[in-house]
Amino acid sequence: MSKDAHAGIKKNKYGKKRSGWSRCLPLLGICLLAALYGYVFSSFRVVTRVKYELTGSEETWEEAAAAEGYASSVEEYYYDHLPEELHEAYREIYVHLMRYEDSGDFLASVTSEEFWQAYYAVLADHPEIFWIGTSAQVEESGLTGTVVTFHFDVTVETEDRDAMRAELEAAADACITQIAPEAADYEKIKAVYEYIIDTTKYDVNSEDSQNIQSALLNHSSVCAGYSRAFQYILHRMGLFCTYITGTIVDGGDHGWNMVRLAEADSSGETLAGVPETEAEESYYYVDVTWGDPVFAGNMDDYDTESTINYNYLCCTEADLFKTHVPDGSVELPECNSDAYDYYKLNGCYYDYFDWDTIYQALMDSVEADETRIMMKFGSEEAYQEAQRALFEGSLLEDPGQYLMRQNGVTSWNYRYHTDDNFYLITIYWN
């Protein structure tokens, strides 16, 4: 009985108990009906769970996904790194999402904490699930402590999802069709990196900023939209890419990507400048957001209107982790290879500082009428030595004299940008 019913009995303690009970009977009936409904509903769940557990256990949701055309076509990095006992919950969540079932009973036997672990893994592996918001609710059984129902927060209504899916596929294909099918995997990754940066504006007030439609349809997003769109397009090209979350040193939450590359492309041709010792596949980090010059707009001496920042294209953990801190939500491999370092591939990487070598590079740059020269060094010592020779010594005198003669002027001013994290010096000649 309810608290009010008990109070009624107490009030009639010294009066007519029959009268007190008569007032309580309607409430008692409601309570009994509620209890009966709860028992029947609970029994239905128990029967459903038992039936579910007897029909294939861990294979049930995999079979359902395959039978209904929802078998995953991408490499699921988070699934592969989940504890095996959570694979069933992962696949059940995935099937519910792909069926557009935004709420309902949950059958895999997991706690709410395990549910969230599996749920996060599904979303990290599948950027194509674009209609999910930033929260969800679950209900746990008071008897078993396991999740019995779920409800997903959504940003796109069910009836609008198929149309938006078609728009997103067309937007991704607009990027893909610009890339030669025979291009090496690195070149494909680089092209997608540039495409998203060129077509997306960084804006903290962007609509749907946690999902791919913000970058691919609205062309305005934050790190989650940039990174998920990058992952989505690479998946459509059959390339491995996963989503990594963490924080920025002295900053807030952030998201970026990890890709995997071999030395040789699909035709077996080796990229120029890549040593044979790097032939095995290696993992690399990519941060499309930090590659956007608009995002880097706080650097006054940087050409923010036209210069893509390639520091964050296929970089190592040694470079990235100076500013980025993974949150530990998934085990990460070592990312130590610099075989696809942009500056190495483009002939502007120097293991150490050599005056004559840098002098020749500077003269070649001005004689070729380039607008800038970039120089990345292999150590902090070499980087510091180069800065002293360039900005305190005489290393820039001859390039300056050449530019003055070419332009018919008697004075010349240069602009430069230094990046202490990447040991990078950029000099702008104009």
Side-chain angles (χ1 to χ4, degrees):
M1 290 185 292
S2 69
K3 181 179 181 181
D4 291 339
H6 282 292
I9 295 172
K10 186 175 182 180
K11 287 178 182 177
N12 289 278
K13 185 176 181 180
Y14 301 108
K16 293 182 179 180
K17 291 183 180 180
R18 185 176 180 180
S19 175
W21 276 106
S22 66
R23 287 198 298 270
C24 294
L25 284 175
L27 289 173
L28 178 61
I30 292 172
C31 290
L32 288 172
L33 285 173
L36 178 61
Y37 174 80
Y39 173 78
V40 172
F41 188 62
S42 177
S43 298
F44 172 77
R45 281 186 178 154
V46 171
V47 170
T48 303
R49 184 178 293 281
V50 170
K51 181 180 178 182
Y52 160 72
E53 290 177 349
L54 292 176
T55 55
S57 187
E58 295 182 2
E59 296 300 320
T60 301
W61 290 104
E62 291 289 354
E63 291 174 355
E68 298 175 35
Y70 300 139
S72 176
S73 60
V74 302
E75 183 176 337
E76 297 169 318
Y77 185 85
Y78 280 74
Y79 175 89
D80 292 339
H81 288 79
L82 276 177
E84 189 173 351
E85 59 268 22
L86 297 187
H87 284 178
E88 179 187 12
Y90 175 107
R91 194 60 64 204
E92 180 178 358
I93 292 169
Y94 175 73
V95 172
H96 285 312
L97 287 166
M98 298 306 290
R99 286 175 176 170
Y100 295 165
E101 294 174 348
D102 299 332
S103 62
D105 291 334
F106 197 74
L107 299 179
S109 183
V110 292
T111 65
S112 59
E113 183 177 348
E114 291 170 332
F115 177 93
W116 293 120
Q117 188 178 357
Y119 177 64
Y120 176 83
V122 171
L123 297 185
D125 280 337
H126 294 281
E128 73 276 12
I129 300 175
F130 57 84
W131 56 92
I132 294 299
T134 57
S135 65
Q137 297 80 44
V138 299
E139 177 189 352
E140 282 187 339
S141 166
L143 294 175
T144 64
T146 58
V147 174
V148 291
T149 67
F150 67 91
H151 179 80
F152 301 131
D153 175 36
V154 300
T155 60
V156 181
E157 296 302 322
T158 304
E159 61 270 21
D160 299 325
R161 292 174 193 172
D162 287 341
M164 184 171 285
R165 184 193 299 277
E167 289 183 63
L168 288 164
E169 290 174 353
D173 291 345
C175 168
I176 295 171
T177 55
Q178 298 178 26
I179 306 170
E182 66 275 12
D185 288 348
Y186 168 79
E187 295 299 333
K188 292 176 181 177
I189 291 170
K190 178 174 175 286
V192 177
Y193 181 86
E194 294 169 336
Y195 180 86
I196 292 176
I197 290 172
D198 286 340
T199 59
T200 308
K201 177 184 177 182
Y202 184 86
D203 186 350
V204 294
N205 298 314
S206 301
E207 184 179 357
D208 273 329
S209 62
Q210 301 302 300
N211 292 323
I212 59 176
Q213 58 266 41
S214 60
L216 295 180
L217 301 182
N218 304 334
H219 305 293
S220 176
S221 192
V222 296
C223 59
Y226 276 73
S227 302
R228 291 182 185 275
F230 180 76
Q231 180 186 17
Y232 175 69
I233 297 176
L234 291 191
H235 281 180
R236 286 187 67 79
M237 299 176 75
L239 299 177
F240 170 81
C241 180
T242 195
Y243 180 58
I244 307 297
T245 53
T247 57
I248 300 304
V249 174
D250 299 326
D253 295 338
H254 190 54
W256 61 94
N257 298 104
M258 183 174 68
V259 298
R260 188 177 61 230
L261 284 165
E263 177 195 350
D265 61 20
S266 58
S267 67
E269 295 180 358
T270 302
L271 287 174
V274 179
E276 294 181 1
T277 54
E278 301 289 355
E280 295 183 1
E281 286 189 327
S282 298
Y283 290 92
Y284 303 84
Y285 288 117
V286 177
D287 189 341
V288 190
T289 312
W290 281 38
D292 193 330
V294 174
F295 183 81
N298 61 325
M299 297 185 290
D300 294 335
D301 52 3
Y302 203 63
D303 186 3
T304 59
E305 294 302 317
S306 61
T307 305
I308 290 177
N309 186 343
Y310 289 100
N311 290 346
Y312 301 96
L313 173 64
C314 296
C315 62
T316 67
E317 62 184 51
D319 283 336
L320 192 73
F321 290 176
K322 293 175 183 177
T323 51
H324 295 50
V325 182
D327 59 16
S329 57
V330 68
E331 180 184 352
L332 297 174
E334 290 186 348
C335 293
N336 294 328
S337 172
D338 62 357
Y340 288 92
D341 182 285
Y342 174 83
Y343 305 98
K344 277 194 168 186
L345 293 178
N346 288 274
C348 45
Y349 179 90
Y350 306 93
D351 284 315
Y352 56 90
F353 173 77
D354 177 73
W355 202 96
D356 291 333
T357 300
I358 300 303
Y359 174 87
Q360 190 60 53
L362 293 168
M363 293 305 298
D364 289 345
S365 179
V366 292
E367 289 172 2
D369 198 27
E370 295 177 345
T371 59
R372 62 174 179 167
I373 180 172
M374 296 183 293
M375 298 170 285
K376 181 177 180 180
F377 294 90
S379 68
E380 183 175 8
E381 180 183 3
Y383 170 66
Q384 296 293 347
E385 190 175 354
Q387 287 192 76
R388 288 191 295 270
L390 288 164
F391 310 129
E392 298 174 18
S394 60
L395 189 50
L396 283 171
E397 286 185 3
D398 283 356
Q401 291 294 327
Y402 177 87
L403 287 169
M404 286 188 285
R405 287 196 304 271
Q406 291 296 105
N407 291 281
V409 295
T410 57
S411 64
W412 167 70
N413 294 314
Y414 59 83
R415 295 182 300 119
Y416 69 91
H417 172 72
T418 58
D419 189 320
D420 295 344
N421 290 321
F422 287 84
Y423 305 146
L424 176 69
I425 299 171
T426 305
I427 298 175
Y428 301 92
W429 299 124
N430 297 329

